[in-house]
Amino acid sequence: MDIAEMLDAVIAREGGFVNHPADRGGATQYGITQKTLSKYLERVVTVDEVKALDLDTARDIYELRYYRQPRIDRLPEVLQPFLFDAAVNHGPRRAIKFLQAVCNEAGYGPLVVDGLMGPKTKAQAAACYEELDEWMLVALVEERQLFYLDIVEFDQSQTVFLEGWLARARTFLPEVA
């Protein structure tokens, strides 16, 4: 799957304009929050500007901030869709922390679980995938699901999203699971 296909998939999952009262991210368009759009445009934006966000700008933000800058594009191709989606949903550092934790748990460490994609994380992720193959995706999905459960345990108002979050994570399970 190339970046264009990953962008299409994320935008389809995120949908159009949403301003759910329980969503801690606030108003979003294609999943892009007011805070994210403000950072991208280097100025404070309004909810109406979020609502008016065009698809090309959303795609640019996602590719730059959630794929290239966190260096997800340098990982084994089979891991990229999951990690890109996790970066969109949780932030790039959390996505890389999922990867680092799984590598450590599988014996491909020790990696500092700091959410930064350095050469050691990249190398260990490749080595881990080489040995575990698709089972690494199973471990990543499990790590993400546990994170969702922690969110809900910490903040019960987020329970409304749990079923959808878990289903979203499970879409990345390979056939072996």
Side-chain angles (χ1 to χ4, degrees):
M1 180 179 285
D2 66 15
I3 184 59
E5 293 169 310
M6 286 186 267
L7 287 165
D8 290 344
V10 159
I11 288 167
R13 277 190 220 53
E14 292 291 341
F17 182 76
V18 177
N19 196 4
H20 194 288
D23 188 341
R24 295 183 289 182
T28 65
Q29 176 69 291
Y30 309 119
I32 302 292
T33 65
Q34 188 173 357
K35 181 179 175 183
T36 298
L37 184 57
S38 293
K39 281 184 182 178
Y40 180 77
L41 295 175
E42 298 179 341
R43 64 177 176 80
V44 176
V45 299
T46 66
V47 171
D48 286 337
E49 287 176 291
V50 172
K51 195 172 192 175
L53 175 66
D54 65 280
L55 190 53
D56 287 337
T57 301
R59 293 174 74 87
D60 288 346
I61 291 169
Y62 279 139
E63 185 171 351
L64 176 66
R65 302 273 168 105
Y66 296 87
Y67 184 67
R68 300 212 185 277
Q69 284 179 347
R71 300 181 184 145
I72 289 170
D73 60 328
R74 298 184 184 173
L75 291 167
E77 285 184 28
V78 73
L79 302 178
Q80 290 180 22
F82 171 86
L83 290 165
F84 175 61
D85 186 75
V88 166
N89 200 216
H90 309 287
R93 288 189 81 159
R94 170 51 58 196
I96 302 305
K97 285 181 180 182
F98 291 150
L99 177 67
Q100 291 166 329
V102 165
C103 286
N104 282 339
E105 290 165 12
Y108 287 88
L111 294 173
V112 176
V113 182
D114 59 5
L116 300 175
M117 180 68 71
K120 188 171 182 183
T121 295
K122 178 185 168 204
Q124 295 301 76
C128 186
Y129 176 70
E130 176 107 2
E131 183 174 319
L132 297 181
D133 197 35
E134 290 184 331
W135 287 103
M136 187 172 180
L137 277 170
V138 174
L140 285 164
V141 168
E142 182 177 315
E143 192 75 23
R144 187 172 177 184
Q145 289 180 316
L146 291 171
F147 182 74
Y148 286 132
L149 294 170
D150 287 345
I151 290 172
V152 170
E153 185 176 323
F154 178 75
D155 183 352
Q156 293 295 308
S157 73
Q158 300 303 291
T159 302
V160 67
F161 302 116
L162 184 60
E163 187 176 322
W165 286 342
L166 295 173
R168 180 176 181 158
R170 284 192 297 268
T171 65
F172 293 94
L173 286 171
E175 294 292 321
V176 297

